[in-house]
Amino acid sequence: MTQHASPPRDNTDKVPTAGQVPVWRGLFARADVRTLSLLGVLAALVLIGGITKPDEFLDTRNLQLVLTQASVIGVVTVGMTFVITSGGIDLSVGAIVALASVWATTVATQDYGFAGVLFTAVIVGVGCGLVNGLLIAYGNMVPFIATLAMLASARGLALQITDGRTQIVTIDGILRLGERDSYVLGVPPLVLVFAVVTIIGWLILNRTTFGRRTVAVGGNAEAARLAGIDVRRQRLYLYLLSGLCCGIAAFLLIVLSGSGQNTNGNLYELDAIAAAIIGGTLLSGGRGTITGSVLGVLIFTTITNIFALNNLQSDVQQIAKGAIIVAAVLVQRRSASTPEV
């Protein structure tokens, strides 16, 4: 019996070419390099602080202060990261923090105790986020304009509530959270709250359908709509999330300062946007990273602390922050123009 030789097997399809390398590997490698770069910058800042003011900067209390201050703006930045990832922007976060903090510290609110202050701060933040979301998602307003209007309105209302005065907190349960006796294994409660918010934010953005929809809307809103995503509802939810983070941050700020002031949250919107950008979140939308945003917050907070310890003027500090933002945007543009491998 004649046996026919089987044709040689073609295994070329099992060897991926350069264009067939999974995209996720390239994204993971790029994200890993970005995270390591941010960690390197943070390590360099710690080294500078340790060299210039070793006794003060490396003191345990100072490091706890840095983390505590980072916690307030960090919670705001988590919400901002979601909004920017979707292709939006929120210029009102600082004003919302101010309004929530003064509304929650009025005499009438404090009569309801700890729970009343916390509930009021959160509900005011969510309410402002709801207004922003409705105007943008269903009113078809540009996010820049809608949130700019909220910024002005919230600041004005905060000033009207306080009449320019500082509202002192008299609730012992809130005041005790800011004392060292309440620290857990040397970690301030505010830092623990920030850690929980960060972990939840990371899980939502990276492990849920909500996170994938957020990225899709930011990458191409029309394609997301054709894929069956309710883009308007998604945007509404995102601004609600941003408002929720502002409400939580307002409560943390009340604990930190022991008061409510209409000047609270000043320039938080710029710091949150800057931290998200240098962390690797695309300002044009379509890509966001909670880890990078948190590292961005720590970098800016550390810079502020080093400048304060060395008695350097705030204007020099703002110039340094501006230079970092410009450098981060330039790096993003270069990365975006680099083809995937």
Side-chain angles (χ1 to χ4, degrees), residues 96-110 116-117 120-121 123-125 128 157-158 161-162 167 254 260-261:
I96 294 175
V97 169
L99 178 59
S101 68
V102 300
W103 206 322
T105 53
T106 59
V107 175
T109 304
Q110 292 193 54
V117 173
T120 302
I123 203 66
V124 170
C128 292
L157 185 54
I161 291 174
T162 61
Q167 299 178 162
I254 291 170
Q261 305 177 53

Side-chain angles (χ1 to χ4, degrees), residues 74-191:
V75 171
V76 175
T77 303
V78 170
M80 182 69 78
T81 300
F82 277 89
V83 171
I84 295 179
T85 301
S86 71
I89 199 73
D90 192 347
L91 301 179
S92 64
V93 290
I96 294 175
V97 169
L99 178 59
S101 68
V102 300
W103 206 322
T105 53
T106 59
V107 175
T109 304
Q110 292 193 54
D111 287 341
Y112 291 94
F114 186 103
V117 173
L118 174 59
F119 176 79
T120 302
V122 171
I123 203 66
V124 170
V126 172
C128 292
L130 176 62
V131 174
N132 280 336
L134 290 174
L135 290 175
I136 294 167
Y138 295 95
N140 295 322
M141 288 188 66
V142 177
F144 181 91
I145 300 300
T147 57
L148 184 62
M150 176 59 72
L151 183 156
S153 302
R155 281 289 178 194
L157 185 54
L159 178 60
Q160 186 179 47
I161 291 174
T162 61
D163 196 23
R165 299 188 180 93
T166 299
Q167 299 178 162
I168 305 299
V169 175
T170 58
I171 302 173
D172 292 337
I174 294 178
L175 296 176
R176 280 199 299 268
L177 286 177
E179 298 175 355
R180 295 185 61 83
D181 293 340
S182 64
Y183 288 10
V184 180
L185 300 177
V187 180
L190 274 67
V191 178

Side-chain angles (χ1 to χ4, degrees), residues 228 278 320:
I278 71 169

Side-chain angles (χ1 to χ4, degrees), residues 237-259:
Y237 288 162
L238 288 167
Y239 282 95
L240 282 172
L241 177 61
S242 179
L244 173 63
C245 289
C246 289
I248 296 173
F251 182 76
L252 297 183
L253 192 56
I254 291 170
V255 173
L256 182 62
S257 62
S259 64

